[in-house]
Amino acid sequence: MTFRKTTLLAALLSATALSAQAADLRVALQSDPDILDPDPGRSFVGRIVFTALCDKLVDITPDLEIVPQLATEWSWNEDNTQLTLQLREGVTFHDGTVFDAQAVADNIERSQTLGQSQRKTELSSITETEILGPHEIRLHLGGPDATLLAQFADRAGMMLSPKAAAEAGDDFGLNPVCSGPFKFEERVAQDRIVLSKFAEYWNADEINFDTVTYLPIPDDTVRFANLQSGDVDIIDRLAATDLPQARSAEGIEVEPVVSLGYQGLTFNLENGERGDNPWGNDPRLRRALSLLIDREALNQVVFEGAYQPANQPFPPASPWYDAENPLQGRDVEQARALLAEAGYPDGLPLEVQVPNSTQPQQVMQVIQSMAAEAGVDITLRAKEFATLLNDQAAGAFEASQIGWSGRVDPDGNTHIFLHSEGGLNDSGYSKPEVDALLQEARAVTGTAERKALYDQIQDIADADGPILYLYHQTWIWGLDDDIEGFKAYPDGMLRLEGVSKAE
C-alpha cells in the first residue's frame, strides 16, 4: 500500500496550514552531519547542509563546468602563479557584515591556519593574498596549481563571516554564519537542523522556501517510508533495493546520477598506536583481503547491480580512470598464499568500524562472509557517523568502511588521502615518492601529463593498499512529485535555487 498525503488527516488540514507546510522543505539525510564549520568539516551530509548555508567562490554545473557564484570572473597570469578574482557586489553575510575582498583574504587565512582545518593542503599553494580593490583580489601562488578553482567549488571556497568566525573561534560550528540562501536557526543532535530563508540573499528571488529542515534518518527503510508517508519531501540516497518500489509508487519521483567518488576500506597504517597491528604493518594482508572480495557480487547482492565495482578512486567513465589497471576478480587461492607468506596461513582477525546506517552494514556483512572463507575473521563495530569520523581522525581504529563523495579535479580524490600531510590521511600513509608525484600533478596543467602522473600514483598506492576501493556509488534521490525544479548533480549536493513545491 502506498501512503500519501491525501489521507484523512491531510484532508482535514486547512488551506492555511497547507500553505505554511509548503513553505518548509523537509530533507531526510542518511546520517547526522559532523561540525557545521567548512574548515574542520568532513562529512558528506554536512556538505549537503553547507550548500544551502554557505555560498562558495565558484560552483559547478551538472556537467561539471566551473561557473561563478561569489566570484563573477577570474583570470590567470601567463605562468599560472597568480589568480585574480572579481567578486560579486551587494552580498552580505547572515550577520549583516559585507562580503568583499578582505573577507576572502580572511577566509583563506583561516582555512590555512585554523588548528582543526582540513582545508590546509587544499589551499597550500596560496602564499599571499593581495587586495586590489573592494571587490577584487589577487592570489599569489608558490607555483602553478591546476586544482585551485575546483577547490573553491567546495568547502575551501565557502565564505564565512570573518566577524562571526573571529568571535566564535573553534565554536563557530555551533552557530555558523555564512552568506548562502538560508541562515542557521537551530540544531538538535541526531534529530534536526533547521535553516531559514535569508531575505537579503543576493539571489533571493530563486529561493522558494521559508525554511529547510534536515532530518538524520540512518535506516534506509525508515527514510523511504517517511517519503512515502509525506513526512519528508526529499530523501538523500534512496537504497538501490528500493528502486523498483520507488519507481512504481504513486507520487514519488526518482533522480539518479553517477557520483564522482567511491566507497572503500581505509586501514590504519601509522595513525597512532592502533596502526601498529598486522593489517597496518603488512601490505600483503591488505592485498589478500582485496582478493577475497568479489566486487561484482557485492554490487549485485547489496545494490541490485545499480552501482559500479571499484578498484581505484576514479569511476570508469572518468577521464582520469586508468584503463590499464582493470578490476581484478576474486582469487581465494592467491589470497590464501599471501596470508601464508605473511605468516598467517590460517587467517587472522580484523576489526572494522562501520557507519550505523543500512547500506554500509550490509556491505560489510557480505565482505565479512567472503573473508571468512580464508580464515579472516572480521568483527564489525557500528558507530554513529560523526563518531566514526572522530575516531578515524584520532587513529582509534584498525580499519574503517568509509567513502568519499568525489571532486571534479582528480587531486580531490587523491592528495587529501595519500599525501603524508593530507588533511584526511587518516591511514597515516607516508611515501616520499607519492608526495612528490602528487605535488607535481598539481603543478602540471596538461591533461595527458597529469593523467600519467595519477596513473603512477595509483600503481604505487595500489601495491601499498592504504585504501581498498570497493564501489562507485550512484546518488539516488527520492522526491515527492510535488517538488519542481530539482536537478541531480554528480557531487551529490542539493542545490535549492529554483526548487519549489506545488501546493
Side-chain angles (χ1 to χ4, degrees):
M1 178 179 179
T2 301
F3 297 95
R4 300 298 303 139
K5 280 167 293 194
T6 53
T7 58
L8 177 61
L9 178 62
L12 294 174
L13 294 174
S14 67
T16 301
L18 283 170
S19 176
Q21 185 182 27
D24 177 39
L25 181 72
R26 295 172 66 82
V27 181
L29 302 177
Q30 192 183 64
S31 56
D32 198 31
D34 59 344
I35 186 170
L36 292 181
D37 181 339
D39 282 323
R42 52 185 290 169
S43 69
F44 174 76
V45 287
R47 290 173 62 225
I48 293 178
V49 176
F50 287 141
T51 303
L53 188 64
C54 303
D55 271 4
K56 302 163 293 190
L57 290 174
V58 296
D59 201 5
I60 62 169
T61 68
D63 296 324
L64 305 182
E65 177 188 359
I66 294 177
V67 293
Q69 194 165 68
L70 291 178
T72 56
E73 298 177 35
W74 50 86
S75 60
W76 293 92
N77 66 345
E78 287 188 7
D79 63 359
N80 293 316
T81 59
Q82 295 178 1
L83 175 62
T84 303
L85 302 173
Q86 305 294 328
L87 305 175
R88 189 176 299 279
E89 299 184 27
V91 175
T92 58
F93 291 102
H94 299 153
D95 60 1
T97 58
V98 174
F99 168 75
D100 56 14
Q102 184 61 57
V104 175
D106 291 343
N107 271 269
I108 290 172
E109 181 181 9
R110 183 180 193 264
S111 295
Q112 291 180 326
T113 61
L114 184 72
Q116 307 172 55
S117 176
Q118 303 291 340
R119 315 279 79 85
K120 292 176 182 178
T121 58
E122 297 171 6
L123 300 181
S124 61
S125 62
I126 301 174
T127 58
E128 180 187 352
T129 55
E130 179 185 1
I131 296 174
L132 304 177
H135 295 92
E136 184 177 17
I137 187 169
R138 178 169 295 150
L139 310 180
H140 296 262
L141 313 183
D145 184 355
T147 76
L148 190 56
L149 273 177
Q151 305 287 17
F152 285 149
D154 207 275
R155 280 177 291 219
M158 293 178 184
M159 295 290 104
L160 323 178
S161 163
K163 177 176 179 290
E167 291 175 352
D170 290 343
D171 293 330
F172 178 84
L174 300 177
N175 185 24
V177 181
C178 297
S179 66
F182 292 87
K183 61 183 179 179
F184 180 79
E185 290 294 338
E186 68 165 340
R187 178 177 192 177
V188 179
Q190 306 301 321
D191 183 75
R192 66 185 180 274
I193 295 171
V194 181
L195 311 181
S196 65
K197 182 176 179 179
F198 179 45
E200 287 73 42
Y201 183 57
W202 61 271
N203 199 22
D205 290 345
E206 289 295 308
I207 304 302
N208 300 304
F209 297 101
D210 294 325
T211 60
V212 55
T213 302
Y214 300 94
L215 305 165
I217 305 177
D219 188 284
D220 292 341
T221 302
V222 176
R223 200 161 62 254
F224 181 42
N226 272 262
L227 179 64
Q228 290 179 291
S229 67
D231 289 329
V232 299
D233 304 299
I234 299 176
I235 64 172
D236 156 45
R237 284 172 284 182
L238 179 74
T241 49
D242 289 329
L243 264 176
Q245 184 180 357
R247 283 178 169 147
S248 63
E250 179 184 353
I252 290 177
E253 298 289 338
V254 175
E255 293 285 350
V257 63
V258 178
S259 78
L260 302 171
Y262 61 83
Q263 286 286 325
L265 281 174
T266 294
F267 287 86
N268 187 349
L269 273 57
E270 292 196 39
N271 185 357
E273 294 180 1
R274 288 291 299 275
D276 187 11
N277 68 81
W279 292 96
N281 295 335
D282 195 332
R284 292 173 296 185
L285 297 179
R286 303 190 290 274
R287 290 200 297 274
L289 179 59
S290 185
L291 287 165
L292 290 169
I293 300 171
D294 186 334
R295 290 161 171 81
E296 295 282 2
L298 180 69
N299 181 38
Q300 293 298 328
V301 171
V302 182
F303 306 116
E304 303 284 332
Y307 290 177
Q308 177 70 52
N311 70 322
Q312 50 186 285
F314 315 117
S318 167
W320 307 102
Y321 179 80
D322 182 8
E324 301 299 317
N325 181 25
L327 184 70
Q328 185 174 359
R330 188 177 191 234
D331 192 329
V332 178
E333 291 310 310
Q334 187 180 351
R336 284 183 172 138
L338 282 170
L339 289 168
E341 184 182 317
Y344 297 94
D346 299 322
L348 72 166
L350 171 65
E351 180 181 291
V352 180
Q353 63 172 10
V354 58
N356 66 341
S357 48
T358 311
Q359 288 187 1
Q361 294 191 62
Q362 291 175 339
V363 165
M364 285 311 307
Q365 286 162 3
V366 172
I367 292 175
Q368 190 178 42
S369 177
M370 292 175 175
E373 191 170 337
V376 175
D377 181 16
I378 296 179
T379 300
L380 303 182
R381 294 282 179 260
K383 298 180 180 180
E384 189 275 322
F385 191 63
T387 301
L388 180 144
L389 288 178
N390 288 334
D391 287 351
Q392 192 170 298
F397 75 106
E398 198 166 81
S400 184
Q401 198 286 293
I402 194 167
W404 183 242
S405 54
R407 299 296 183 267
V408 176
D409 191 275
D411 179 270
N413 282 19
T414 51
H415 193 288
I416 201 167
F417 302 104
L418 300 176
H419 194 281
S420 58
E421 296 181 0
L424 297 181
N425 183 2
D426 295 330
S427 278
Y429 178 65
S430 180
K431 198 150 198 175
E433 182 183 2
V434 171
D435 287 354
L437 288 168
L438 286 165
Q439 291 303 116
E440 186 179 354
R442 282 186 162 186
V444 171
T445 56
T447 300
E449 296 93 332
R450 292 190 78 203
K451 185 180 183 308
L453 291 168
Y454 285 112
D455 288 350
Q456 290 183 58
I457 291 164
Q458 193 52 42
D459 285 344
I460 299 168
D462 196 39
D464 293 337
I467 301 171
L468 301 187
Y469 303 100
L470 299 175
Y471 60 91
H472 303 286
Q473 284 182 286
T474 296
W475 304 130
I476 307 173
W477 293 93
L479 313 169
D480 187 300
D481 67 356
D482 286 341
I483 297 297
E484 300 173 348
F486 174 89
K487 294 180 182 178
Y489 284 71
D491 65 358
M493 296 299 102
L494 173 59
R495 292 163 173 83
L496 295 177
E497 285 84 354
V499 179
S500 61
K501 182 179 179 182
E503 296 184 15

